[in-house]
Amino acid sequence: MQEDFSIYNGEGTILRRAQMRMLDILSEVDKICRKHNITYWLDGGTCLGAVRHKGFIPWDDDIDIAVMRNDYKRLRKILKKELPENMVFQDETTERLYPAKMAKVRDKNSYFEETEMKTALKEQGIFIDIFPVEKGYVKVKTFIDFFYGRAFRRLRHHNGNRKEYVIALLMWPFACTMVGIARFFNFLITSDDLIYSYGIPTLNKYQLHARDFVPTKPIVFENKEFMAPANADAYLRRLYGDYMQIPPKEKRRIHASVIRFFD
């Protein structure tokens, strides 16, 4: 008998309301990307949900998309200007304590407290994540991020004490130099190997390949059409193995500890 997933996100539940708010944000970002010819794709668990469930993984409480780093820098400028009044772009350039090298677009009329990342950020509404992707090799990234990612997070006061903060200050110029050198050599080398940008710990043990992502193709997600990786099957198998297999209940991860709505 097929499992009843409505216990997670049945109509009227807080999670389902949050998912619909995230869908509104995604729809707005999709519209802006299409307007400015910016290529993006549904990423991680959002891509998995689209393929396996035609929408959200029932217990999932976030949306992930990815863009190439050059497009990411352009998209950042555009989103700051063109998002509607009820949404806001957030990253390291907008908040001093923001502890990540990727961005969020947040809803202004809600509150979302992440179990694993409690910070004193100004904007804390329901969100979608935007991950920059660039040319690179995962083994090199893993080595560099031991210094770069650690230093960045501690400089942003994330999971660090005063001693670690001072060490991060000393480490930061060296770490930035390593990233610059790596990007220079990756620019010279012809390869379709990709990584999530330096400083992003998510999924960094997996080597990505451009051929699996571009050109993107349409996919249905919650009865709407968004863009997905060119070879979603290869990508998801590399990420999750037998991704069509529903995980046991104890492995169904929820990020939020508190979700509130103000409208």
Side-chain angles (χ1 to χ4, degrees):
M1 184 175 67
Q2 189 174 8
E3 184 177 352
D4 179 13
F5 293 119
S6 65
I7 60 172
Y8 295 103
N9 67 338
E11 291 303 320
T13 61
I14 290 177
L15 178 56
R16 189 58 179 169
R17 289 180 64 194
Q19 289 176 343
M20 291 299 97
R21 194 67 60 93
M22 295 172 206
L23 185 64
D24 290 342
I25 300 172
L26 177 61
S27 297
E28 191 65 38
V29 172
D30 169 77
K31 182 175 72 175
I32 290 171
C33 285
R34 292 175 188 266
K35 174 183 174 181
H36 294 277
N37 295 313
I38 293 175
T39 298
Y40 79 92
W41 59 86
L42 301 185
D43 200 52
T46 308
C47 181
L48 172 59
V51 173
R52 193 171 68 193
H53 302 276
K54 306 289 186 196
F56 285 95
I57 297 172
W59 53 90
D60 203 6
D61 56 4
D62 71 352
I63 283 179
D64 299 328
I65 68 171
V67 297
M68 294 301 297
R69 181 169 172 264
N70 286 340
D71 282 335
Y72 175 84
K73 291 188 288 186
R74 187 160 63 99
L75 181 60
R76 173 167 57 193
K77 295 178 181 178
I78 294 169
L79 289 175
K80 288 179 179 180
K81 296 178 181 179
E82 296 191 14
L83 283 172
E85 291 184 357
N86 64 316
M87 298 177 192
V88 62
F89 179 85
Q90 182 185 50
D91 75 348
E92 61 182 291
T93 69
T94 65
E95 294 207 34
R96 187 177 63 85
L97 297 181
Y98 188 79
K101 296 296 287 187
M102 32 69 65
K104 297 180 185 291
V105 175
R106 288 193 185 263
D107 168 65
K108 289 185 176 181
N109 298 314
S110 58
Y111 174 77
F112 185 103
E113 183 176 289
E114 296 182 75
T115 304
E116 297 178 356
M117 191 175 76
K118 297 180 181 180
T119 56
L121 296 176
K122 178 182 176 182
E123 302 292 345
Q124 298 191 55
I126 290 167
F127 62 88
I128 73 168
D129 286 323
I130 304 176
F131 290 90
V133 173
E134 61 185 279
K135 288 175 63 176
Y137 301 95
V138 69
K139 291 183 179 180
V140 176
K141 169 184 162 58
T142 301
F143 173 77
I144 290 176
D145 274 352
F146 180 82
F147 304 97
Y148 184 76
R150 277 186 168 192
F152 176 81
R153 288 187 290 276
R154 280 152 181 76
L155 289 175
R156 297 286 169 141
H157 307 288
H158 183 54
N159 294 336
N161 56 34
R162 185 172 180 81
K163 178 181 177 181
E164 290 179 332
Y165 181 80
V166 173
I167 293 173
L169 277 176
L170 298 174
M171 186 189 301
W172 185 242
F174 168 69
C176 290
T177 299
M178 285 197 296
V179 170
I181 292 172
R183 283 179 172 153
F184 174 74
F185 281 106
N186 290 332
F187 174 77
L188 297 177
I189 297 171
T190 301
S191 170
D192 87 333
D193 290 324
L194 300 176
I195 55 171
Y196 292 93
S197 286
Y198 300 97
I200 300 174
T202 305
L203 309 179
N204 67 353
K205 66 180 180 179
Y206 299 99
Q207 183 67 63
L208 307 177
H209 301 288
R211 61 183 177 272
D212 291 337
F213 298 103
V214 290
T216 55
K217 64 180 183 181
I219 195 169
V220 173
F221 183 88
E222 297 292 342
N223 298 315
K224 294 187 175 185
E225 191 172 87
F226 299 101
M227 303 311 296
N231 190 344
D233 177 70
Y235 166 60
L236 292 173
R237 287 189 183 280
R238 186 172 297 111
L239 215 56
Y240 302 108
D242 183 8
Y243 61 87
M244 295 302 289
Q245 184 71 33
I246 303 294
K249 292 182 179 180
E250 62 271 16
K251 293 187 177 181
R252 297 173 186 177
R253 183 185 177 201
I254 296 176
H255 302 87
S257 56
V258 180
I259 300 176
R260 298 194 191 103
F261 300 90
F262 304 139
D263 58 359

